[in-house]
Amino acid sequence: MLTFGVIGCGSIGGFLARLLTREDAELAGRARLAAVVGRDPVRAAALAAEVGCEATDVAALLARRDVDAVLVCTPSGTHAELAEAALRAGKHVLVEKPVDVTPQAADRLIAVARETGRTLGVVSQHRFDPAARLARSAIESGRLGRVTSVMTELSWWRGASYYASGTWRGTRALDGGGALMNQAIHAVDLVQWLAGPVVEVAAHTARLAHPGIEVEDVATASLRFENGALGTLLASTAAYPGRTARTAVNGDRGSVVIDDDKLAYLHLAAEGEDAPAYGAFGAADQSAAYAAQLAGDGARDASGLLYQPHRDQLLDFCEAVREGRPPLVDGAGGRLAVAVVTAIYASARTGLPQRVDRAVPANDGHTRTSP
């Protein structure tokens, strides 16, 4: 069993603390919560009382021998610093997305994880959604044929009260960016897990509905994938009153659409099948045939988050530690998502297409290309 400490008592830290302490047959015997840490002692004490653990500080948490792993759930720009301290204290670390706000910070953290021999993971729970797993399986097996295009749209709304809920929100230093770095980083990770790495971007960003923040609330990008596929990305926190996130992956033998983390459309061509010359116009949807396979745990936390994908990522992390293997979302995977986001920002700033920096330091001090 892994004993965890949670650093950060905001919305995601509170959610993960409740996940670790709820009755869950899958997590039972594999993970437990020992303590929480928060910048606000009152808030930390309240969360500790709610979930039945201790409230402490960072130094005391990292000194505890009974704590095996740490969940870092603090403002994005502090992730690498806190995670490095935890790794050097001998703890395994699972960092809330993004791994940090620059590829360089991610590189330092990856190097420390290798140096200390500890496991490093990055929260990207949408890889664990049943619909995403089905899509990945269909793509990997070749049933979509050659992937030709990818479209991902995150049209959300964040009100002024959201940005006022933390002094770090909407700042370049600690948020690292806006709708793209904070919210759509999940979509950036997911499309690369499904369709392969993005190698080049061309983009625009704007602040159109939230004049009080430093970062963008709308971002658009054209994406070129390593396998030759082309894609588009829209990330917005200025789409009132807020709609669902949607990702489509299209191939020359099939297509899949995920909307609101659910399978919205799937068609996989049968052997010898030939679509009409002008296409099916959305007909021939096969997604209903997979409904039973995709049935999952629909329980949600009071924050509105589904328990299942986060629980499954925690289980994968625990198994990775036990087996001595990388977790499904490791430091390199977390870095690649940040590298794409920072390339989009660079393109928007310069008005030029940008290559994605995929180089990750290796053990020998040279570099390798992230997957």
Side-chain angles (χ1 to χ4, degrees), residues 310-335:
H310 282 92
R311 179 197 64 203
D312 289 351
Q313 181 159 18
L314 275 173
L315 289 171
D316 173 73
F317 184 80
C318 291
E319 290 302 302
V321 171
R322 185 178 66 84
E323 296 169 6
R325 62 166 174 84
L328 178 62
V329 193
D330 61 5
R335 182 202 187 278

Side-chain angles (χ1 to χ4, degrees), residues 199-256:
V199 296
E200 186 177 69
V201 303
H204 298 279
T205 62
R207 183 174 63 249
L208 300 175
H210 301 90
I213 66 175
E214 298 176 355
V215 293
E216 86 288 348
D217 56 14
V218 180
T220 62
S222 174
L223 313 173
R224 185 164 66 84
F225 289 79
E226 185 178 55
N227 60 11
L230 301 179
T232 60
L233 166 69
L234 166 66
S236 177
T237 54
Y240 185 87
R243 296 190 289 109
T244 55
R246 184 177 180 91
T247 294
V249 181
N250 305 308
D252 61 6
R253 295 299 291 162
S255 297
V256 59

Side-chain angles (χ1 to χ4, degrees), residues 34-118:
V36 297
V37 174
R39 290 181 298 174
D40 182 345
V42 174
R43 189 172 191 176
L47 178 60
E50 177 190 344
V51 299
C53 75
E54 178 185 344
T56 185
D57 58 42
V58 172
L61 177 70
L62 299 187
R64 287 181 58 158
R65 291 191 172 186
D66 65 324
V67 171
D68 308 299
V70 169
L71 281 158
V72 177
C73 305
T74 55
S76 303
T78 66
H79 286 176
E81 179 183 358
L82 288 165
E84 178 178 350
L87 290 167
R88 294 197 182 281
K91 316 301 183 188
H92 305 287
V93 174
L94 183 57
V95 184
E96 171 60 14
K97 61 77 189 168
V99 61
D100 204 280
V101 298
T102 66
Q104 293 74 27
D107 289 341
R108 294 193 299 271
L109 190 53
I110 292 167
V112 173
R114 290 177 178 154
E115 176 190 335
T116 59
R118 302 290 91 184

Side-chain angles (χ1 to χ4, degrees), residues 158-348:
R158 290 292 184 268
S161 61
Y162 166 81
Y163 291 105
S165 67
T167 56
W168 64 280
R169 294 194 186 279
T171 67
R172 289 190 181 89
L174 293 179
D175 220 348
L180 186 57
M181 181 68 85
N182 193 313
Q183 281 80 26
I185 190 110
H186 282 300
V188 172
D189 177 75
L190 183 61
V191 297
Q192 294 189 101
W193 189 59
L194 295 177
V198 173
V199 296
E200 186 177 69
V201 303
H204 298 279
T205 62
R207 183 174 63 249
L208 300 175
H210 301 90
I213 66 175
E214 298 176 355
V215 293
E216 86 288 348
D217 56 14
V218 180
T220 62
S222 174
L223 313 173
R224 185 164 66 84
F225 289 79
E226 185 178 55
N227 60 11
L230 301 179
T232 60
L233 166 69
L234 166 66
S236 177
T237 54
Y240 185 87
R243 296 190 289 109
T244 55
R246 184 177 180 91
T247 294
V249 181
N250 305 308
D252 61 6
R253 295 299 291 162
S255 297
V256 59
V257 179
I258 299 170
D259 193 323
D260 196 24
D261 309 328
K262 303 178 184 67
L263 187 66
Y265 179 90
L266 177 69
H267 186 88
L268 306 175
E271 186 173 351
E273 176 185 312
D274 191 13
Y278 289 93
F281 289 95
D285 180 15
Q286 301 166 350
S287 60
Y290 295 87
Q293 179 180 335
L294 295 173
D297 180 0
R300 292 182 182 268
D301 180 69
S303 65
L305 290 171
L306 283 167
Y307 283 119
Q308 184 206 336
H310 282 92
R311 179 197 64 203
D312 289 351
Q313 181 159 18
L314 275 173
L315 289 171
D316 173 73
F317 184 80
C318 291
E319 290 302 302
V321 171
R322 185 178 66 84
E323 296 169 6
R325 62 166 174 84
L328 178 62
V329 193
D330 61 5
R335 182 202 187 278
L336 182 55
V338 172
V340 171
V341 170
T342 54
I344 289 172
Y345 288 155
S347 176

